[in-house]
Amino acid sequence: LHRVRGICRVGVRQMVRATGLERLRSVCSRAVADGEVPGGVLIVGRHEETLVELAFGNRAILPLEEPATPDTIYDWASLTKPVVTATLFMQALEEGRVHLWEPLGRWLAVPAGNPLCGVTPRQLLLHISGLPAGLPLPDGGCTRDEYVNLIIEGGLQTAPDAEFVYSDLGFHLLAAVVEKVYEESLETLAQDRILRPLGMTDTSFCVASGDISRTAPTERANGEMLRGTVHDPVARAFGGVAGHAGLFGTARDLARFCRMVIGRGQLEGSRILQPAALDRMVAPVDVGSGNVRALGWDVDTRYSNPRGDIFPVRGVGHTGFTGPSCWIDSPSGIFIVLMTNRLHPDGHGDAVGLRRRVANVVAATLLP
């Protein structure tokens, strides 16, 4: 259970010292031993080079123990927000199909007088729209379009721009806008415009039946252990496809996305965003009360634990409720991908401390 397996790839000028790797091994092993996570996969890179790839602990504990492996597929949860929904919106923006200050009523059926009519994509991307954090599904369920209408009918919790409230609901609305703009489904757009061009071959909204065995389970729902089925109940109700959650993928695939961000929109000759659009996406924005966000990304809020305590406040990152996270320090070219299924097997794990400790070791080892 506590065994740590890993590969250290040492780059030019030995950017990762042996002591740094051993500290990372120790940090990950201790998190497993303390019951914070069952296991996971850690990748640390700098620009195009993978410096550390470490599989540790187990991807499954129940019903049988299964070791975590570098190709384990994890439920990315809210990492869906920046990887798919925000990126698709930025593509539409640079193509002139939308703009950040466009009233939401331009694209969605928002009744006149409803305060959401004037809410902008910028406010949704920054979580300052005034929407509440979430909205329960109605009894009997509903379709994604019906859920969007329920969000609109529910109105705002606060005035726009008044307060930073991390909200899943804004990304449901952004996904609806993107689908209207392109007249394609979110799943098709994600594959055609992001995942396939970036070579993220193990990432998708739905896990293929042949890949279930290497997918990390989360916890029980309705008496069954969720494995290859999205944990988020709203995304699950919509067949696993939603603007706020639903993606599954490997640490290696998320590392490819991080490299694209560091490459200012390009990876291995495949361009996802123009440099200026990517720069705008990750530019820090003061959203009040000491909180700093970017368009679809975290910068400096109470959710910034993947940055740790040493990295300067200049990068972007995101977390997922099920345990995964990433942090991208573009000025140094360093990125950290940490995949865990901290909810397995009983829903009581916690990856926050592990993220901080990993980031601190990486920053202390790699930053000048």
Side-chain angles (χ1 to χ4, degrees), residues 169-194:
L169 304 186
F171 280 75
H172 284 283
L173 300 182
L174 285 166
V177 169
V178 166
E179 288 183 324
K180 281 188 176 291
V181 167
Y182 286 111
E183 298 182 335
E184 293 276 2
S185 71
L186 190 70
E187 186 174 15
T188 297
L189 290 167
Q191 282 293 340
D192 291 350
R193 300 180 67 92
I194 301 170

mmCIF file with all atom_site columns, all heavy atoms in Angstrom, residues 169-194:
data_model
loop_
_atom_site.group_PDB
_atom_site.id
_atom_site.type_symbol
_atom_site.label_atom_id
_atom_site.label_alt_id
_atom_site.label_comp_id
_atom_site.label_asym_id
_atom_site.label_entity_id
_atom_site.label_seq_id
_atom_site.pdbx_PDB_ins_code
_atom_site.Cartn_x
_atom_site.Cartn_y
_atom_site.Cartn_z
_atom_site.occupancy
_atom_site.B_iso_or_equiv
_atom_site.pdbx_formal_charge
_atom_site.auth_seq_id
_atom_site.auth_comp_id
_atom_site.auth_asym_id
_atom_site.auth_atom_id
_atom_site.pdbx_PDB_model_num
ATOM 1   N N   . LEU A 1 169 ? -22.115 26.924 -11.738 1.00 0.00 ? 169 LEU A N   1
ATOM 2   C CA  . LEU A 1 169 ? -23.227 27.325 -12.610 1.00 0.00 ? 169 LEU A CA  1
ATOM 3   C C   . LEU A 1 169 ? -22.767 28.194 -13.775 1.00 0.00 ? 169 LEU A C   1
ATOM 4   O O   . LEU A 1 169 ? -23.295 28.087 -14.890 1.00 0.00 ? 169 LEU A O   1
ATOM 5   C CB  . LEU A 1 169 ? -24.291 28.056 -11.792 1.00 0.00 ? 169 LEU A CB  1
ATOM 6   C CG  . LEU A 1 169 ? -24.850 27.295 -10.587 1.00 0.00 ? 169 LEU A CG  1
ATOM 7   C CD1 . LEU A 1 169 ? -26.002 28.066 -9.958  1.00 0.00 ? 169 LEU A CD1 1
ATOM 8   C CD2 . LEU A 1 169 ? -25.301 25.897 -10.978 1.00 0.00 ? 169 LEU A CD2 1
ATOM 9   N N   . GLY A 1 170 ? -21.790 29.055 -13.528 1.00 0.00 ? 170 GLY A N   1
ATOM 10  C CA  . GLY A 1 170 ? -21.304 29.916 -14.599 1.00 0.00 ? 170 GLY A CA  1
ATOM 11  C C   . GLY A 1 170 ? -20.729 29.118 -15.756 1.00 0.00 ? 170 GLY A C   1
ATOM 12  O O   . GLY A 1 170 ? -20.842 29.529 -16.919 1.00 0.00 ? 170 GLY A O   1
ATOM 13  N N   . PHE A 1 171 ? -20.144 27.956 -15.466 1.00 0.00 ? 171 PHE A N   1
ATOM 14  C CA  . PHE A 1 171 ? -19.540 27.157 -16.527 1.00 0.00 ? 171 PHE A CA  1
ATOM 15  C C   . PHE A 1 171 ? -20.567 26.305 -17.258 1.00 0.00 ? 171 PHE A C   1
ATOM 16  O O   . PHE A 1 171 ? -20.341 25.906 -18.405 1.00 0.00 ? 171 PHE A O   1
ATOM 17  C CB  . PHE A 1 171 ? -18.367 26.350 -15.975 1.00 0.00 ? 171 PHE A CB  1
ATOM 18  C CG  . PHE A 1 171 ? -17.131 27.193 -15.858 1.00 0.00 ? 171 PHE A CG  1
ATOM 19  C CD1 . PHE A 1 171 ? -17.006 28.141 -14.842 1.00 0.00 ? 171 PHE A CD1 1
ATOM 20  C CD2 . PHE A 1 171 ? -16.114 27.105 -16.789 1.00 0.00 ? 171 PHE A CD2 1
ATOM 21  C CE1 . PHE A 1 171 ? -15.893 28.951 -14.755 1.00 0.00 ? 171 PHE A CE1 1
ATOM 22  C CE2 . PHE A 1 171 ? -14.985 27.909 -16.710 1.00 0.00 ? 171 PHE A CE2 1
ATOM 23  C CZ  . PHE A 1 171 ? -14.879 28.839 -15.694 1.00 0.00 ? 171 PHE A CZ  1
ATOM 24  N N   . HIS A 1 172 ? -21.707 26.057 -16.638 1.00 0.00 ? 172 HIS A N   1
ATOM 25  C CA  . HIS A 1 172 ? -22.828 25.497 -17.398 1.00 0.00 ? 172 HIS A CA  1
ATOM 26  C C   . HIS A 1 172 ? -23.287 26.499 -18.462 1.00 0.00 ? 172 HIS A C   1
ATOM 27  O O   . HIS A 1 172 ? -23.544 26.136 -19.612 1.00 0.00 ? 172 HIS A O   1
ATOM 28  C CB  . HIS A 1 172 ? -24.002 25.180 -16.462 1.00 0.00 ? 172 HIS A CB  1
ATOM 29  C CG  . HIS A 1 172 ? -23.817 23.946 -15.645 1.00 0.00 ? 172 HIS A CG  1
ATOM 30  N ND1 . HIS A 1 172 ? -23.969 22.678 -16.152 1.00 0.00 ? 172 HIS A ND1 1
ATOM 31  C CD2 . HIS A 1 172 ? -23.492 23.795 -14.344 1.00 0.00 ? 172 HIS A CD2 1
ATOM 32  C CE1 . HIS A 1 172 ? -23.744 21.784 -15.207 1.00 0.00 ? 172 HIS A CE1 1
ATOM 33  N NE2 . HIS A 1 172 ? -23.452 22.439 -14.099 1.00 0.00 ? 172 HIS A NE2 1
ATOM 34  N N   . LEU A 1 173 ? -23.378 27.764 -18.060 1.00 0.00 ? 173 LEU A N   1
ATOM 35  C CA  . LEU A 1 173 ? -23.823 28.798 -19.000 1.00 0.00 ? 173 LEU A CA  1
ATOM 36  C C   . LEU A 1 173 ? -22.780 29.029 -20.095 1.00 0.00 ? 173 LEU A C   1
ATOM 37  O O   . LEU A 1 173 ? -23.124 29.182 -21.267 1.00 0.00 ? 173 LEU A O   1
ATOM 38  C CB  . LEU A 1 173 ? -24.097 30.100 -18.245 1.00 0.00 ? 173 LEU A CB  1
ATOM 39  C CG  . LEU A 1 173 ? -25.178 30.036 -17.161 1.00 0.00 ? 173 LEU A CG  1
ATOM 40  C CD1 . LEU A 1 173 ? -25.387 31.414 -16.533 1.00 0.00 ? 173 LEU A CD1 1
ATOM 41  C CD2 . LEU A 1 173 ? -26.499 29.510 -17.706 1.00 0.00 ? 173 LEU A CD2 1
ATOM 42  N N   . LEU A 1 174 ? -21.503 29.036 -19.728 1.00 0.00 ? 174 LEU A N   1
ATOM 43  C CA  . LEU A 1 174 ? -20.454 29.210 -20.734 1.00 0.00 ? 174 LEU A CA  1
ATOM 44  C C   . LEU A 1 174 ? -20.459 28.059 -21.742 1.00 0.00 ? 174 LEU A C   1
ATOM 45  O O   . LEU A 1 174 ? -20.278 28.275 -22.950 1.00 0.00 ? 174 LEU A O   1
ATOM 46  C CB  . LEU A 1 174 ? -19.087 29.292 -20.052 1.00 0.00 ? 174 LEU A CB  1
ATOM 47  C CG  . LEU A 1 174 ? -18.766 30.602 -19.345 1.00 0.00 ? 174 LEU A CG  1
ATOM 48  C CD1 . LEU A 1 174 ? -17.561 30.429 -18.431 1.00 0.00 ? 174 LEU A CD1 1
ATOM 49  C CD2 . LEU A 1 174 ? -18.516 31.730 -20.356 1.00 0.00 ? 174 LEU A CD2 1
ATOM 50  N N   . ALA A 1 175 ? -20.668 26.842 -21.257 1.00 0.00 ? 175 ALA A N   1
ATOM 51  C CA  . ALA A 1 175 ? -20.736 25.694 -22.169 1.00 0.00 ? 175 ALA A CA  1
ATOM 52  C C   . ALA A 1 175 ? -21.902 25.837 -23.130 1.00 0.00 ? 175 ALA A C   1
ATOM 53  O O   . ALA A 1 175 ? -21.786 25.521 -24.329 1.00 0.00 ? 175 ALA A O   1
ATOM 54  C CB  . ALA A 1 175 ? -20.860 24.402 -21.374 1.00 0.00 ? 175 ALA A CB  1
ATOM 55  N N   . ALA A 1 176 ? -23.035 26.341 -22.624 1.00 0.00 ? 176 ALA A N   1
ATOM 56  C CA  . ALA A 1 176 ? -24.195 26.548 -23.494 1.00 0.00 ? 176 ALA A CA  1
ATOM 57  C C   . ALA A 1 176 ? -23.902 27.602 -24.557 1.00 0.00 ? 176 ALA A C   1
ATOM 58  O O   . ALA A 1 176 ? -24.308 27.458 -25.723 1.00 0.00 ? 176 ALA A O   1
ATOM 59  C CB  . ALA A 1 176 ? -25.405 26.963 -22.652 1.00 0.00 ? 176 ALA A CB  1
ATOM 60  N N   . VAL A 1 177 ? -23.177 28.647 -24.179 1.00 0.00 ? 177 VAL A N   1
ATOM 61  C CA  . VAL A 1 177 ? -22.807 29.688 -25.146 1.00 0.00 ? 177 VAL A CA  1
ATOM 62  C C   . VAL A 1 177 ? -21.894 29.104 -26.220 1.00 0.00 ? 177 VAL A C   1
ATOM 63  O O   . VAL A 1 177 ? -22.098 29.319 -27.423 1.00 0.00 ? 177 VAL A O   1
ATOM 64  C CB  . VAL A 1 177 ? -22.115 30.869 -24.435 1.00 0.00 ? 177 VAL A CB  1
ATOM 65  C CG1 . VAL A 1 177 ? -21.494 31.827 -25.460 1.00 0.00 ? 177 VAL A CG1 1
ATOM 66  C CG2 . VAL A 1 177 ? -23.096 31.616 -23.540 1.00 0.00 ? 177 VAL A CG2 1
ATOM 67  N N   . VAL A 1 178 ? -20.886 28.352 -25.800 1.00 0.00 ? 178 VAL A N   1
ATOM 68  C CA  . VAL A 1 178 ? -19.935 27.764 -26.751 1.00 0.00 ? 178 VAL A CA  1
ATOM 69  C C   . VAL A 1 178 ? -20.643 26.832 -27.728 1.00 0.00 ? 178 VAL A C   1
ATOM 70  O O   . VAL A 1 178 ? -20.366 26.841 -28.938 1.00 0.00 ? 178 VAL A O   1
ATOM 71  C CB  . VAL A 1 178 ? -18.818 27.025 -25.984 1.00 0.00 ? 178 VAL A CB  1
ATOM 72  C CG1 . VAL A 1 178 ? -18.026 26.123 -26.918 1.00 0.00 ? 178 VAL A CG1 1
ATOM 73  C CG2 . VAL A 1 178 ? -17.885 28.021 -25.302 1.00 0.00 ? 178 VAL A CG2 1
ATOM 74  N N   . GLU A 1 179 ? -21.569 26.036 -27.237 1.00 0.00 ? 179 GLU A N   1
ATOM 75  C CA  . GLU A 1 179 ? -22.297 25.118 -28.123 1.00 0.00 ? 179 GLU A CA  1
ATOM 76  C C   . GLU A 1 179 ? -23.157 25.884 -29.125 1.00 0.00 ? 179 GLU A C   1
ATOM 77  O O   . GLU A 1 179 ? -23.265 25.474 -30.287 1.00 0.00 ? 179 GLU A O   1
ATOM 78  C CB  . GLU A 1 179 ? -23.160 24.168 -27.294 1.00 0.00 ? 179 GLU A CB  1
ATOM 79  C CG  . GLU A 1 179 ? -22.345 23.124 -26.545 1.00 0.00 ? 179 GLU A CG  1
ATOM 80  C CD  . GLU A 1 179 ? -23.195 22.133 -25.784 1.00 0.00 ? 179 GLU A CD  1
ATOM 81  O OE1 . GLU A 1 179 ? -24.257 22.553 -25.241 1.00 0.00 ? 179 GLU A OE1 1
ATOM 82  O OE2 . GLU A 1 179 ? -22.830 20.955 -25.702 1.00 0.00 ? 179 GLU A OE2 1
ATOM 83  N N   . LYS A 1 180 ? -23.738 27.000 -28.701 1.00 0.00 ? 180 LYS A N   1
ATOM 84  C CA  . LYS A 1 180 ? -24.529 27.808 -29.637 1.00 0.00 ? 180 LYS A CA  1
ATOM 85  C C   . LYS A 1 180 ? -23.637 28.470 -30.677 1.00 0.00 ? 180 LYS A C   1
ATOM 86  O O   . LYS A 1 180 ? -23.980 28.556 -31.852 1.00 0.00 ? 180 LYS A O   1
ATOM 87  C CB  . LYS A 1 180 ? -25.343 28.857 -28.879 1.00 0.00 ? 180 LYS A CB  1
ATOM 88  C CG  . LYS A 1 180 ? -26.605 28.318 -28.226 1.00 0.00 ? 180 LYS A CG  1
ATOM 89  C CD  . LYS A 1 180 ? -27.454 29.437 -27.679 1.00 0.00 ? 180 LYS A CD  1
ATOM 90  C CE  . LYS A 1 180 ? -28.763 28.889 -27.119 1.00 0.00 ? 180 LYS A CE  1
ATOM 91  N NZ  . LYS A 1 180 ? -29.656 28.386 -28.186 1.00 0.00 ? 180 LYS A NZ  1
ATOM 92  N N   . VAL A 1 181 ? -22.484 28.944 -30.239 1.00 0.00 ? 181 VAL A N   1
ATOM 93  C CA  . VAL A 1 181 ? -21.558 29.617 -31.147 1.00 0.00 ? 181 VAL A CA  1
ATOM 94  C C   . VAL A 1 181 ? -21.113 28.677 -32.259 1.00 0.00 ? 181 VAL A C   1
ATOM 95  O O   . VAL A 1 181 ? -21.107 29.036 -33.445 1.00 0.00 ? 181 VAL A O   1
ATOM 96  C CB  . VAL A 1 181 ? -20.337 30.151 -30.367 1.00 0.00 ? 181 VAL A CB  1
ATOM 97  C CG1 . VAL A 1 181 ? -19.222 30.557 -31.330 1.00 0.00 ? 181 VAL A CG1 1
ATOM 98  C CG2 . VAL A 1 181 ? -20.741 31.337 -29.505 1.00 0.00 ? 181 VAL A CG2 1
ATOM 99  N N   . TYR A 1 182 ? -20.733 27.470 -31.884 1.00 0.00 ? 182 TYR A N   1
ATOM 100 C CA  . TYR A 1 182 ? -20.164 26.535 -32.859 1.00 0.00 ? 182 TYR A CA  1
ATOM 101 C C   . TYR A 1 182 ? -21.185 25.550 -33.436 1.00 0.00 ? 182 TYR A C   1
ATOM 102 O O   . TYR A 1 182 ? -20.862 24.812 -34.383 1.00 0.00 ? 182 TYR A O   1
ATOM 103 C CB  . TYR A 1 182 ? -19.019 25.751 -32.215 1.00 0.00 ? 182 TYR A CB  1
ATOM 104 C CG  . TYR A 1 182 ? -17.765 26.568 -32.025 1.00 0.00 ? 182 TYR A CG  1
ATOM 105 C CD1 . TYR A 1 182 ? -17.324 26.921 -30.751 1.00 0.00 ? 182 TYR A CD1 1
ATOM 106 C CD2 . TYR A 1 182 ? -17.003 26.982 -33.115 1.00 0.00 ? 182 TYR A CD2 1
ATOM 107 C CE1 . TYR A 1 182 ? -16.163 27.661 -30.570 1.00 0.00 ? 182 TYR A CE1 1
ATOM 108 C CE2 . TYR A 1 182 ? -15.849 27.726 -32.949 1.00 0.00 ? 182 TYR A CE2 1
ATOM 109 C CZ  . TYR A 1 182 ? -15.432 28.063 -31.674 1.00 0.00 ? 182 TYR A CZ  1
ATOM 110 O OH  . TYR A 1 182 ? -14.280 28.803 -31.503 1.00 0.00 ? 182 TYR A OH  1
ATOM 111 N N   . GLU A 1 183 ? -22.380 25.511 -32.844 1.00 0.00 ? 183 GLU A N   1
ATOM 112 C CA  . GLU A 1 183 ? -23.431 24.578 -33.278 1.00 0.00 ? 183 GLU A CA  1
ATOM 113 C C   . GLU A 1 183 ? -22.924 23.141 -33.280 1.00 0.00 ? 183 GLU A C   1
ATOM 114 O O   . GLU A 1 183 ? -23.173 22.353 -34.200 1.00 0.00 ? 183 GLU A O   1
ATOM 115 C CB  . GLU A 1 183 ? -23.960 24.969 -34.667 1.00 0.00 ? 183 GLU A CB  1
ATOM 116 C CG  . GLU A 1 183 ? -24.603 26.344 -34.697 1.00 0.00 ? 183 GLU A CG  1
ATOM 117 C CD  . GLU A 1 183 ? -25.174 26.700 -36.051 1.00 0.00 ? 183 GLU A CD  1
ATOM 118 O OE1 . GLU A 1 183 ? -24.687 26.151 -37.065 1.00 0.00 ? 183 GLU A OE1 1
ATOM 119 O OE2 . GLU A 1 183 ? -26.103 27.517 -36.089 1.00 0.00 ? 183 GLU A OE2 1
ATOM 120 N N   . GLU A 1 184 ? -22.167 22.818 -32.228 1.00 0.00 ? 184 GLU A N   1
ATOM 121 C CA  . GLU A 1 184 ? -21.647 21.474 -32.008 1.00 0.00 ? 184 GLU A CA  1
ATOM 122 C C   . GLU A 1 184 ? -21.753 21.166 -30.520 1.00 0.00 ? 184 GLU A C   1
ATOM 123 O O   . GLU A 1 184 ? -21.820 22.063 -29.677 1.00 0.00 ? 184 GLU A O   1
ATOM 124 C CB  . GLU A 1 184 ? -20.176 21.364 -32.437 1.00 0.00 ? 184 GLU A CB  1
ATOM 125 C CG  . GLU A 1 184 ? -19.922 21.499 -33.919 1.00 0.00 ? 184 GLU A CG  1
ATOM 126 C CD  . GLU A 1 184 ? -20.108 20.185 -34.668 1.00 0.00 ? 184 GLU A CD  1
ATOM 127 O OE1 . GLU A 1 184 ? -20.482 19.180 -34.016 1.00 0.00 ? 184 GLU A OE1 1
ATOM 128 O OE2 . GLU A 1 184 ? -19.882 20.177 -35.892 1.00 0.00 ? 184 GLU A OE2 1
ATOM 129 N N   . SER A 1 185 ? -21.730 19.871 -30.174 1.00 0.00 ? 185 SER A N   1
ATOM 130 C CA  . SER A 1 185 ? -21.789 19.487 -28.771 1.00 0.00 ? 185 SER A CA  1
ATOM 131 C C   . SER A 1 185 ? -20.462 19.769 -28.085 1.00 0.00 ? 185 SER A C   1
ATOM 132 O O   . SER A 1 185 ? -19.404 19.804 -28.722 1.00 0.00 ? 185 SER A O   1
ATOM 133 C CB  . SER A 1 185 ? -22.117 18.000 -28.642 1.00 0.00 ? 185 SER A CB  1
ATOM 134 O OG  . SER A 1 185 ? -21.011 17.211 -29.059 1.00 0.00 ? 185 SER A OG  1
ATOM 135 N N   . LEU A 1 186 ? -20.522 19.954 -26.780 1.00 0.00 ? 186 LEU A N   1
ATOM 136 C CA  . LEU A 1 186 ? -19.317 20.214 -25.999 1.00 0.00 ? 186 LEU A CA  1
ATOM 137 C C   . LEU A 1 186 ? -18.321 19.072 -26.155 1.00 0.00 ? 186 LEU A C   1
ATOM 138 O O   . LEU A 1 186 ? -17.107 19.292 -26.282 1.00 0.00 ? 186 LEU A O   1
ATOM 139 C CB  . LEU A 1 186 ? -19.697 20.397 -24.526 1.00 0.00 ? 186 LEU A CB  1
ATOM 140 C CG  . LEU A 1 186 ? -18.603 20.908 -23.595 1.00 0.00 ? 186 LEU A CG  1
ATOM 141 C CD1 . LEU A 1 186 ? -18.272 22.357 -23.895 1.00 0.00 ? 186 LEU A CD1 1
ATOM 142 C CD2 . LEU A 1 186 ? -19.034 20.750 -22.134 1.00 0.00 ? 186 LEU A CD2 1
ATOM 143 N N   . GLU A 1 187 ? -18.815 17.853 -26.144 1.00 0.00 ? 187 GLU A N   1
ATOM 144 C CA  . GLU A 1 187 ? -17.941 16.686 -26.261 1.00 0.00 ? 187 GLU A CA  1
ATOM 145 C C   . GLU A 1 187 ? -17.206 16.675 -27.602 1.00 0.00 ? 187 GLU A C   1
ATOM 146 O O   . GLU A 1 187 ? -15.995 16.442 -27.660 1.00 0.00 ? 187 GLU A O   1
ATOM 147 C CB  . GLU A 1 187 ? -18.768 15.409 -26.102 1.00 0.00 ? 187 GLU A CB  1
ATOM 148 C CG  . GLU A 1 187 ? -17.950 14.144 -26.068 1.00 0.00 ? 187 GLU A CG  1
ATOM 149 C CD  . GLU A 1 187 ? -18.791 12.923 -25.753 1.00 0.00 ? 187 GLU A CD  1
ATOM 150 O OE1 . GLU A 1 187 ? -20.033 13.013 -25.833 1.00 0.00 ? 187 GLU A OE1 1
ATOM 151 O OE2 . GLU A 1 187 ? -18.204 11.877 -25.431 1.00 0.00 ? 187 GLU A OE2 1
ATOM 152 N N   . THR A 1 188 ? -17.922 16.947 -28.686 1.00 0.00 ? 188 THR A N   1
ATOM 153 C CA  . THR A 1 188 ? -17.307 16.978 -30.019 1.00 0.00 ? 188 THR A CA  1
ATOM 154 C C   . THR A 1 188 ? -16.294 18.109 -30.121 1.00 0.00 ? 188 THR A C   1
ATOM 155 O O   . THR A 1 188 ? -15.185 17.932 -30.646 1.00 0.00 ? 188 THR A O   1
ATOM 156 C CB  . THR A 1 188 ? -18.382 17.138 -31.096 1.00 0.00 ? 188 THR A CB  1
ATOM 157 O OG1 . THR A 1 188 ? -19.242 15.996 -31.058 1.00 0.00 ? 188 THR A OG1 1
ATOM 158 C CG2 . THR A 1 188 ? -17.766 17.257 -32.481 1.00 0.00 ? 188 THR A CG2 1
ATOM 159 N N   . LEU A 1 189 ? -16.658 19.283 -29.618 1.00 0.00 ? 189 LEU A N   1
ATOM 160 C CA  . LEU A 1 189 ? -15.753 20.435 -29.662 1.00 0.00 ? 189 LEU A CA  1
ATOM 161 C C   . LEU A 1 189 ? -14.469 20.153 -28.885 1.00 0.00 ? 189 LEU A C   1
ATOM 162 O O   . LEU A 1 189 ? -13.371 20.491 -29.334 1.00 0.00 ? 189 LEU A O   1
ATOM 163 C CB  . LEU A 1 189 ? -16.449 21.669 -29.092 1.00 0.00 ? 189 LEU A CB  1
ATOM 164 C CG  . LEU A 1 189 ? -17.575 22.256 -29.939 1.00 0.00 ? 189 LEU A CG  1
ATOM 165 C CD1 . LEU A 1 189 ? -18.386 23.264 -29.126 1.00 0.00 ? 189 LEU A CD1 1
ATOM 166 C CD2 . LEU A 1 189 ? -17.021 22.911 -31.196 1.00 0.00 ? 189 LEU A CD2 1
ATOM 167 N N   . ALA A 1 190 ? -14.611 19.539 -27.713 1.00 0.00 ? 190 ALA A N   1
ATOM 168 C CA  . ALA A 1 190 ? -13.435 19.245 -26.901 1.00 0.00 ? 190 ALA A CA  1
ATOM 169 C C   . ALA A 1 190 ? -12.477 18.312 -27.640 1.00 0.00 ? 190 ALA A C   1
ATOM 170 O O   . ALA A 1 190 ? -11.263 18.541 -27.662 1.00 0.00 ? 190 ALA A O   1
ATOM 171 C CB  . ALA A 1 190 ? -13.862 18.616 -25.574 1.00 0.00 ? 190 ALA A CB  1
ATOM 172 N N   . GLN A 1 191 ? -13.015 17.277 -28.249 1.00 0.00 ? 191 GLN A N   1
ATOM 173 C CA  . GLN A 1 191 ? -12.164 16.322 -28.961 1.00 0.00 ? 191 GLN A CA  1
ATOM 174 C C   . GLN A 1 191 ? -11.530 16.963 -30.199 1.00 0.00 ? 191 GLN A C   1
ATOM 175 O O   . GLN A 1 191 ? -10.323 16.811 -30.439 1.00 0.00 ? 191 GLN A O   1
ATOM 176 C CB  . GLN A 1 191 ? -12.975 15.093 -29.368 1.00 0.00 ? 191 GLN A CB  1
ATOM 177 C CG  . GLN A 1 191 ? -13.227 14.112 -28.242 1.00 0.00 ? 191 GLN A CG  1
ATOM 178 C CD  . GLN A 1 191 ? -11.957 13.430 -27.743 1.00 0.00 ? 191 GLN A CD  1
ATOM 179 O OE1 . GLN A 1 191 ? -10.942 13.378 -28.433 1.00 0.00 ? 191 GLN A OE1 1
ATOM 180 N NE2 . GLN A 1 191 ? -12.008 12.913 -26.531 1.00 0.00 ? 191 GLN A NE2 1
ATOM 181 N N   . ASP A 1 192 ? -12.333 17.665 -30.981 1.00 0.00 ? 192 ASP A N   1
ATOM 182 C CA  . ASP A 1 192 ? -11.859 18.178 -32.272 1.00 0.00 ? 192 ASP A CA  1
ATOM 183 C C   . ASP A 1 192 ? -10.929 19.376 -32.138 1.00 0.00 ? 192 ASP A C   1
ATOM 184 O O   . ASP A 1 192 ? -10.015 19.554 -32.961 1.00 0.00 ? 192 ASP A O   1
ATOM 185 C CB  . ASP A 1 192 ? -13.047 18.563 -33.156 1.00 0.00 ? 192 ASP A CB  1
ATOM 186 C CG  . ASP A 1 192 ? -13.835 17.355 -33.626 1.00 0.00 ? 192 ASP A CG  1
ATOM 187 O OD1 . ASP A 1 192 ? -13.351 16.216 -33.433 1.00 0.00 ? 192 ASP A OD1 1
ATOM 188 O OD2 . ASP A 1 192 ? -14.938 17.541 -34.175 1.00 0.00 ? 192 ASP A OD2 1
ATOM 189 N N   . ARG A 1 193 ? -11.154 20.214 -31.113 1.00 0.00 ? 193 ARG A N   1
ATOM 190 C CA  . ARG A 1 193 ? -10.445 21.481 -31.049 1.00 0.00 ? 193 ARG A CA  1
ATOM 191 C C   . ARG A 1 193 ? -9.362  21.542 -29.966 1.00 0.00 ? 193 ARG A C   1
ATOM 192 O O   . ARG A 1 193 ? -8.552  22.459 -29.963 1.00 0.00 ? 193 ARG A O   1
ATOM 193 C CB  . ARG A 1 193 ? -11.441 22.632 -30.840 1.00 0.00 ? 193 ARG A CB  1
ATOM 194 C CG  . ARG A 1 193 ? -12.480 22.745 -31.958 1.00 0.00 ? 193 ARG A CG  1
ATOM 195 C CD  . ARG A 1 193 ? -13.440 23.900 -31.683 1.00 0.00 ? 193 ARG A CD  1
ATOM 196 N NE  . ARG A 1 193 ? -12.756 25.176 -31.769 1.00 0.00 ? 193 ARG A NE  1
ATOM 197 C CZ  . ARG A 1 193 ? -12.660 25.914 -32.872 1.00 0.00 ? 193 ARG A CZ  1
ATOM 198 N NH1 . ARG A 1 193 ? -13.222 25.493 -34.001 1.00 0.00 ? 193 ARG A NH1 1
ATOM 199 N NH2 . ARG A 1 193 ? -12.030 27.076 -32.860 1.00 0.00 ? 193 ARG A NH2 1
ATOM 200 N N   . ILE A 1 194 ? -9.351  20.557 -29.045 1.00 0.00 ? 194 ILE A N   1
ATOM 201 C CA  . ILE A 1 194 ? -8.381  20.609 -27.954 1.00 0.00 ? 194 ILE A CA  1
ATOM 202 C C   . ILE A 1 194 ? -7.655  19.270 -27.776 1.00 0.00 ? 194 ILE A C   1
ATOM 203 O O   . ILE A 1 194 ? -6.438  19.181 -27.936 1.00 0.00 ? 194 ILE A O   1
ATOM 204 C CB  . ILE A 1 194 ? -9.052  21.017 -26.622 1.00 0.00 ? 194 ILE A CB  1
ATOM 205 C CG1 . ILE A 1 194 ? -9.725  22.376 -26.744 1.00 0.00 ? 194 ILE A CG1 1
ATOM 206 C CG2 . ILE A 1 194 ? -8.028  21.022 -25.485 1.00 0.00 ? 194 ILE A CG2 1
ATOM 207 C CD1 . ILE A 1 194 ? -10.608 22.750 -25.567 1.00 0.00 ? 194 ILE A CD1 1
#
